[in-house]
Amino acid sequence: MIPVPVVVTVLGGWCAVYLADTLLKSSSSLKASYEDWLLTYGLSVSPFHLRWQTALFNRQFYNWGRWKPRFLYLWFSIGMVFGIVAMFGSVILLGKTLLQTLTQMLTEAPKAQNDRMLQVVVSVPSSGLCLRAVPGVNLPVSQLTYFFSAILISGVIHEVGHGVAAIREQVRFNGFGIFIFIVYPGAFVDLFTTHLQLISPVQQLRIFCAGVWHNFVLGVASFMVLFLLPAILFPFYYTGVGALVTEVTEDSPANGPRGLFVGDLVTNLQDCPVYNVEDWNSCLGDISEKSQVGYCVSAATLQQLSFPARVYRRLDGTVECCSNNSLTDICFSYSNKLDSQLYACLPARKVIEASKVCRTNMDCHKDFVPSFCVTPSLENQTRLIRVKHPPHIDMLYVGHPMHLQYTVSLSSFVPRQNFLSIDLPVVIETFCKYLISLSGALAVINAVPCFALDGQWILNSFLEATLSSLIVEKQNRELVGFLILLAGSALLAANVALGLWMVTAR
């Protein structure tokens, strides 16, 4: 749930703003000067909505709209085609998402969600942004700067597309503005409505589709930067040598004198090599899904290290044979020639160091020395993981692999010089990923044929451009558009409602 202090701060802040606005407007002595001040600076205040509009950028918009007319005509024509395809594609995508959400709701054990998947949960008026990402619910506080910055940039690029396309089609441009709705930032452009109604439906389509087209281009550009980042940062950072630790949370099981530290370079997890962050995540995923690996220990060493211990079964059926107070010993299981299961409490580090990884006793037959494959006897989902981060001594981790993944932050980029920041590549990577996700979401959601979104105007212009000869009466065309918009709005509302329920109630 959203933390109470956050809710109190947001609600209290908006109440203070709205109360001050109401008092100033009701004051006989201050009302005139206050309203003049608002008008001068292009400000307007309403409940949970603060808006600023200016004509300062009009000249720049006109310069962009008149730059290389033929190129802009081709650019926005491609955008028009993309917008129409996106309108139909968004309906299919939302329909598929709705079916998947319903299926997930009806199953007793829903699949884990991919954090990078874009799903609907919150709708922001005027910007059309809908995501299953709610600050304070499932979005870490440390990510809020990326989140809101990406929203604002995506919204600005979206509206710049509309504004430049409108000027290209000879529609008067009144101004550009930025707003805040509750906590979500956004942007808008003010166009002369009469001019929009006078131009042809195809010209209208170029304007209405320009927003989603520019968001798509922004997403592609961000993806290219992300893809080419190793080459871009090559003079300053190198990659392919391991995963660099950038942060270890205080409550992380990897935090300790023999744990991981900022600046350590992880090269292996068990026998799985780690060359970058993707390898780290992949290795942890494989370790989590597969059974616990064992370690080859000679019979003589096993007899020397083991000591008598009481054996008892845990509630989940696994066996424990070490004292609960032991921090260095682990219960290991192995089988002898008679295939009987035996257990021994052994010092974990002495067993693992200089030992070969194995699955069965057959993997340990070497130089005719009797050896056994001893496997840690741990609770379900718990794993013993050997983390190599030379030149330091290997870290031995006992716990769920995902706990290690969530509490340790890493980077694939290693600085060539000590004065270079280890966080810079991570910041660029994370910001590009947010731009890809949020700009893509803005493109998809705004393309939906839904009331108050770009999809409404795209649909109306599309119907006027294609059905004028088939449906002569304009009222009939408007009825068809209204029914489609009604269905699209219901589809989007269902996705938002179910998405919100999945985030807060599950």
Side-chain angles (χ1 to χ4, degrees), residues 32-51:
S33 58
Y34 174 65
E35 290 182 345
D36 289 341
W37 181 80
L38 290 177
L39 185 62
T40 302
Y41 289 97
L43 294 171
S44 63
V45 181
S46 58
F48 301 105
H49 191 274
L50 183 63
R51 171 174 166 148

Side-chain angles (χ1 to χ4, degrees), residues 442-455:
L442 201 59
V444 171
I445 300 304
N446 260 298
V448 177
C450 171
F451 293 109
L453 296 180
D454 286 349

Side-chain angles (χ1 to χ4, degrees), residues 289-323:
E289 293 175 2
K290 296 178 181 178
S291 59
Q292 173 71 57
V293 298
Y295 303 90
C296 292
V297 178
S298 65
T301 303
L302 183 61
Q303 185 177 6
Q304 178 185 359
L305 295 178
S306 63
F307 53 88
R310 180 182 178 184
V311 176
Y312 62 92
R313 291 191 177 276
R314 303 185 184 95
L315 294 176
D316 61 357
T318 57
V319 173
E320 176 61 81
C321 61
C322 290
S323 169

Side-chain angles (χ1 to χ4, degrees), residues 25 53 85 252 289 355 389 395 447:
K25 287 182 178 178
Q53 182 176 337
V85 173
S252 172
E289 293 175 2
S355 297
H389 54 126
M395 182 187 77

Side-chain angles (χ1 to χ4, degrees), residues 416-430:
R416 295 184 181 274
Q417 303 294 334
N418 292 333
F419 65 85
L420 293 172
S421 171
I422 63 175
D423 295 321
L424 178 60
V426 177
V427 170
I428 298 175
E429 274 187 316
T430 306

Side-chain angles (χ1 to χ4, degrees), residues 176-191:
F176 168 82
I178 293 175
F179 68 87
I180 297 178
F181 176 74
I182 305 179
V183 294
Y184 292 92
F188 63 93
V189 290
D190 183 14
L191 305 178

